[in-house]
Amino acid sequence: MTERKPAGVGFETWIERQIREAQDRGEFEDLSGAGKPLSGLHAPHDELWWVKEKLRREEGTALPPTLLLRKEAAAAREAAGRASSEAEVRSILAEINARIEEAIRKPMSGPPLNLMPFDVEHVVAQWRARSATR
């Protein structure tokens, strides 16, 4: 469909011709889902159904990069609390801190990051205190 619409031809006529020619070439045969009912026909109307379906299919996220990094930082903090060794705590924090520092140097799209790198020594001290009580 790289050809341009000829002058003097209506859009509807031009599009219908392209569809008919594609049908004649068999381009609509053997499509996935042919003969199957459309999913979600009986679900309540949702204007963004196709976005949600694409995200589900591609295992993506709809969060802006800054919010996603905040979520990952919270998950890293929890993972550091569950770590089995001090070295693991430091490794987890080093990885997320590097990503946070990169985002501070090169701002990401989305709402403001409002996130600072973790104080590794403070988190390690908290981990030690929790480990001593276990």
Side-chain angles (χ1 to χ4, degrees):
M1 186 154 152
T2 58
E3 68 180 88
R4 296 180 62 100
K5 181 183 84 61
V9 177
F11 274 107
E12 188 172 347
T13 305
W14 181 62
I15 292 170
E16 287 174 355
R17 182 180 54 104
Q18 288 184 330
I19 292 171
R20 187 185 69 255
E21 289 173 357
Q23 286 174 328
D24 293 343
R25 290 189 303 268
E27 292 182 16
F28 294 117
E29 296 173 7
D30 299 324
L31 293 175
S32 63
K36 298 176 187 172
L38 296 174
S39 63
L41 282 180
H42 301 293
H45 176 68
D46 182 4
E47 292 179 359
L48 296 177
W49 68 268
W50 62 275
V51 173
K52 293 174 184 172
E53 178 64 23
K54 181 171 177 64
L55 288 172
R56 185 194 60 75
R57 207 173 45 245
E58 297 181 5
E59 298 177 2
T61 179
L63 290 176
T66 53
L67 295 182
L68 185 59
L69 184 55
R70 283 191 217 171
K71 190 174 181 179
E72 291 169 358
R77 180 72 167 96
E78 289 178 22
R82 293 188 309 268
S84 59
S85 69
E86 184 176 321
E88 186 180 353
V89 173
R90 290 181 183 280
S91 173
I92 291 168
L93 295 177
E95 183 179 320
I96 195 66
N97 277 350
R99 297 193 55 220
I100 292 169
E101 289 165 0
E102 179 70 15
I104 291 170
R105 276 195 304 275
K106 297 178 184 173
M108 305 166 95
S109 62
L113 184 59
N114 294 336
L115 192 61
M116 294 300 294
F118 289 101
D119 180 348
V120 176
E121 296 308 318
H122 179 72
V123 176
V124 167
Q126 289 177 331
W127 178 85
R128 282 185 194 141
R130 277 196 300 272
S131 294
T133 60
R134 290 184 196 162

